Amino acid sequence: MANVVVVGAQWGDEGKGKVVDLLARKATYVVRFQGGNNAGHTLVVQGKKTVLHLVPSGMLQASCVNVIGNGVVVDPAVLVREIDALLAAGIEAGPSRLVLSTEAHVILPWHRALDVARESAAGDRKIGTTGRGIGPAYEDKVGRRGLRVADFLDEPSLRAHIDAHLPGYNLRLAELGAPALGTESLLDELLPLAARLAPHARSAVRMLHAAHLAGESILFEGAQGTFLDVDHGTYPYVTSSNTVAGGACAGAGVGPTVIDEVVGIAKAYCTRVGSGPFPTELLDDTGERLRRVGHEFGATTGRPRRCGWFDVPMLRHAVMVNGLTRLALTKLDVLSGMDTLRVCTAYRGLDEVPAGAAALAAVEPVYEELPGWNDDLSGVRRYDQLPSAARAYVDRLEALVGVPVSLLGTGAGRDDVIVRDALFA
């Protein structure tokens, strides 16, 4: 298989985990390249649901090695719990199958505490973070005061880091009305976690470079979605990392010439979690129906997702900033039973997606209406078996976006897909 990057083409929650799981059958390595446990990738295999937050979504395919890359921020407590849950489920999650980059940065308890305290104090100005400490950890990374896995695993380095930075964090927490943290309690929590994770840690960059030279296939898994990218998203209502395909190079330590294909994942409609602009949002019974039928609640936080119609201008922008070569369109089945569907084809008076949250919030969508269908799509495995209206909907989106739809999701299960080209076969 080619070396493939999989990214979300909307605001995240598009179903990347399922697509990565499918592609991982032919991959040697699956690499998560950014984000943290603010992501939740859900896999349904034989009716059993598995939600992964840090472990790459190739873990349920026994043939591949899963790598948490240097661009990820890692909460060690969350990772250990996730490993234990996989082992309890009978899934091999030892060091031979799960590698943790020694260059990845660590989320510490003070990052979580500061994240929660800030959001609480922000009131109406809150960003809508998950409270997992992702933003503060990335701030420390960029500010050159972060802690990498290699130093987290070395007890003297960890102690020195806590001694140097805990006083400053306690001052910031006190200003926000949050309780102080203690050195010994931090060490009591962190040292056992370091011991558990030490066997998984190694130089992922060297390993992936050797794999590429040997002709082995690498699958790069992004978290969140294009419009949560810190540079290209609806700033400031974004995450703290580069979610676009280019982030795979920096977040895994490979050059751009290694990448062969970029697959963008999009729902057949749109959803968003948290604050920020959402031009096609539906604040009516139709939006509630999409939420209910699509089970649109965050895999990480359980928060209800905001729902709306498919947004073509945003997808076109995602094609540009990611260099998408293929699309996977998920949750087509959720639209069954709707008499009329709407697609945003443009923003009135604009020929591009405006930069920044304020400008995007002010746009007026221009809609095109398409007929719906009533057929149940469960069990449909071939494109020509879809209702004619469903095919017309997919064909229209494909024509408007300008990228082939290579995979369709028709249900929650691993096999509830329609494959349309050899990449997914």
Side-chain angles (χ1 to χ4, degrees):
M1 187 182 77
N3 294 332
V4 180
V5 178
V6 174
V7 294
Q10 295 163 322
W11 279 287
D13 308 307
E14 301 97 344
K16 295 179 292 297
K18 178 176 179 176
V19 176
V20 171
D21 172 65
L22 181 64
L23 288 171
R25 295 177 303 175
K26 298 189 289 183
T28 309
Y29 293 89
V30 178
V31 186
R32 170 79 180 276
F33 63 82
Q34 49 76 219
N37 59 298
N38 53 340
H41 294 174
T42 302
L43 309 173
V44 180
V45 180
Q46 297 179 341
K48 183 177 180 180
K49 183 166 76 172
T50 300
V51 181
L52 301 173
H53 299 282
L54 284 169
V55 174
S57 299
M59 185 54 75
L60 300 191
Q61 298 287 359
S63 59
C64 62
V65 176
N66 293 265
V67 181
I68 299 172
N70 59 272
V72 180
V73 287
V74 179
D75 186 321
V78 172
L79 182 54
V80 167
R81 286 199 300 269
E82 204 162 315
I83 292 171
D84 286 344
L86 289 167
L87 293 172
I91 299 167
E92 174 53 47
S96 64
R97 290 217 57 225
L98 179 62
V99 173
L100 172 61
S101 171
T102 50
E103 286 77 42
H105 277 247
V106 177
I107 297 174
L108 295 167
W110 57 58
H111 294 132
R112 296 194 302 268
L114 182 61
D115 199 359
V116 172
R118 277 178 176 171
E119 281 287 275
S120 178
D124 294 339
R125 296 176 292 106
K126 65 182 179 181
I127 297 297
T129 77
T130 60
R132 303 303 199 262
I134 311 300
Y138 273 117
E139 288 173 32
D140 278 358
K141 174 180 178 176
V142 174
R144 299 180 297 277
R145 54 182 178 269
L147 181 71
R148 299 204 296 184
V149 167
D151 296 314
F152 172 69
L153 300 181
D154 178 70
E155 184 174 341
S157 297
L158 175 59
R159 287 181 178 272
H161 187 83
I162 291 174
D163 288 342
H165 297 286
L166 181 58
Y169 260 96
N170 276 337
L171 283 174
R172 296 163 74 184
L173 291 171
E175 291 172 354
L176 294 166
L181 302 173
T183 298
E184 293 307 316
S185 62
L186 287 174
L187 288 168
D188 288 344
E189 175 184 349
L190 295 173
L191 289 174
L193 297 172
R196 281 290 309 277
L197 294 176
H200 295 270
R202 60 183 295 188
S203 173
V205 171
R206 290 181 176 275
M207 181 180 66
L208 294 174
H209 182 68
H212 177 61
L213 292 179
E216 296 175 313
S217 59
I218 307 171
L219 178 59
F220 301 90
E221 177 185 22
Q224 290 89 35
T226 296
F227 295 98
L228 293 178
D229 184 280
V230 69
D231 286 301
H232 301 287
T234 52
Y235 194 89
Y237 300 97
V238 293
T239 193
S240 303
S241 58
N242 286 116
T243 63
V244 296
C249 296
V254 299
T257 54
V258 169
I259 308 301
D260 300 307
E261 299 277 356
V262 182
V263 178
I265 318 301
K267 284 177 182 169
Y269 49 98
C270 280
T271 64
R272 176 168 196 164
V273 173
S275 305
F278 186 172
T280 65
E281 184 173 12
L282 292 165
L283 301 173
D284 57 12
D285 290 344
T286 302
E288 181 55 39
R289 181 205 176 277
L290 289 173
R291 184 178 301 109
R292 173 175 49 82
V293 176
H295 305 288
E296 296 295 356
F297 298 90
T300 298
T301 64
R303 291 182 293 180
R305 295 174 184 143
R306 301 155 64 190
C307 298
W309 297 119
F310 193 93
D311 190 323
V312 170
M314 297 200 80
L315 257 292
R316 286 176 178 156
H317 196 77
V319 170
M320 287 193 296
V321 297
N322 289 292
L324 299 183
T325 58
R326 287 175 169 83
L327 278 177
L329 193 68
T330 62
K331 290 198 166 184
L332 185 65
D333 54 300
V334 174
L335 300 181
S336 294
M338 302 180 73
D339 294 332
T340 303
L341 304 173
R342 303 183 84 190
V343 176
C344 171
T345 58
Y347 301 144
R348 196 170 306 281
L350 294 174
D351 58 3
E352 61 183 23
V353 176
L360 187 61
V363 302
E364 181 184 349
V366 176
Y367 287 108
E368 177 179 314
E369 291 192 349
L370 296 166
W373 60 90
N374 291 313
D375 308 60
D376 182 359
L377 302 189
S378 61
V380 176
R381 297 292 182 269
R382 294 207 327 260
Y383 192 64
D384 59 8
Q385 293 176 336
L386 286 173
S388 59
R391 295 198 304 273
Y393 183 77
V394 174
D395 291 346
R396 184 61 178 146
L397 296 187
E398 189 174 62
L400 288 167
V401 174
V403 174
V405 176
S406 299
L407 185 78
L408 291 166
T410 57
R414 171 186 268 177
D415 299 322
D416 293 330
V417 294
I418 296 173
V419 173
R420 301 185 72 198
D421 72 29
L423 181 66
F424 293 97

